[in-house]
Amino acid sequence: MTRAGEHIDDISEVRGKSATTVAFDFGRITLDARNVLYLFGAPGQERFWFLWDRLFSGTLGAVVLVDTRRIDDSWYAIDRLEHHGTPFVVACNDFGGPAYAPGQIRDALDLDPQVPLLDCDARSRASGKQVLITLVEHVRNTYAAQGPGKTQNVREQDAYATQAPVSEQELTR
């Protein structure tokens, strides 16, 4: 943590935290010859919220990574994604906090029943891969259910929504 952030970021529930994200992360995964998954990681601190609406513009789907020690910190991301009509999944990262039943987390976040909720360990490649597979399948199913012409005005979305299920092998690269 920087000295500048000590008095801005609330770290009362995460004692011993020594680092924080100070910029956006970016990654790219090629699924096949026609489909590429672009990944953008945004800092969760309130001082970065003004950037999120720009980041969400044109986004096909999102992962909300929840720290159960600070579950209330996730409301803004969920609110903005719902506002934009962006499909998303909620991944509860195992940071060593209290264990909650899925129903408790769903209630605390006021999640709609169709929003996938899963556990993950962001340090594990296999766990991260499963989160991305869940996201891609949820996005595909959401846009497919809307039918042609009801998706956003992006031609690739209609083709994307008709692809076969994503396999773990496609995310292994």
Side-chain angles (χ1 to χ4, degrees):
M1 300 290 293
T2 64
R3 288 187 194 257
E6 285 178 359
H7 304 291
I8 297 171
D9 296 329
D10 177 14
I11 59 169
S12 60
E13 297 297 322
V14 288
R15 303 217 186 281
K17 185 172 180 168
S18 61
T20 189
T21 304
V22 294
F24 287 96
D25 296 321
F26 174 75
R28 181 180 186 273
I29 300 172
T30 301
L31 299 176
D32 59 32
R34 291 181 33 181
N35 296 291
V36 177
L37 190 60
Y38 293 97
L39 307 168
F40 298 88
Q45 295 91 347
E46 185 174 351
R47 67 179 183 268
F48 293 105
W49 288 357
F50 74 97
L51 297 170
W52 288 14
D53 282 326
R54 289 222 181 231
L55 180 65
F56 294 159
S57 177
T59 300
L60 293 177
V63 173
V64 177
L65 190 61
V66 173
D67 180 345
T68 56
R69 298 170 298 178
R70 302 182 326 182
I71 201 162
D72 290 343
D73 290 352
S74 303
W75 75 267
Y76 187 78
I78 291 170
D79 177 70
R80 299 320 303 155
L81 290 164
E82 289 175 342
H83 172 77
H84 284 277
T86 303
F88 65 94
V89 302
V90 174
C92 294
N93 198 12
D94 182 7
F95 287 108
Y100 295 102
Q104 291 174 299
I105 294 170
R106 193 171 287 283
D107 288 345
L109 295 173
D110 193 26
L111 289 180
D112 289 333
Q114 74 273 10
V115 174
L117 174 66
L118 59 158
D119 291 324
C120 76
D121 181 344
R123 302 164 296 185
S124 163
R125 180 183 176 107
S127 184
K129 186 180 357 176
Q130 189 55 54
V131 169
L132 294 176
I133 289 170
T134 302
L135 172 65
V136 170
E137 290 177 346
H138 179 59
V139 167
R140 185 198 62 240
N141 294 339
T142 299
Y143 288 121
Q146 292 177 355
K150 293 194 177 190
T151 60
Q152 297 173 7
N153 193 15
V154 178
R155 187 178 297 163
E156 290 80 19
Q157 289 178 349
D158 289 333
Y160 183 77
T162 61
Q163 296 296 311
V166 177
S167 68
E168 286 193 34
Q169 291 79 17
E170 290 174 308
L171 291 176
T172 306
R173 299 178 191 152

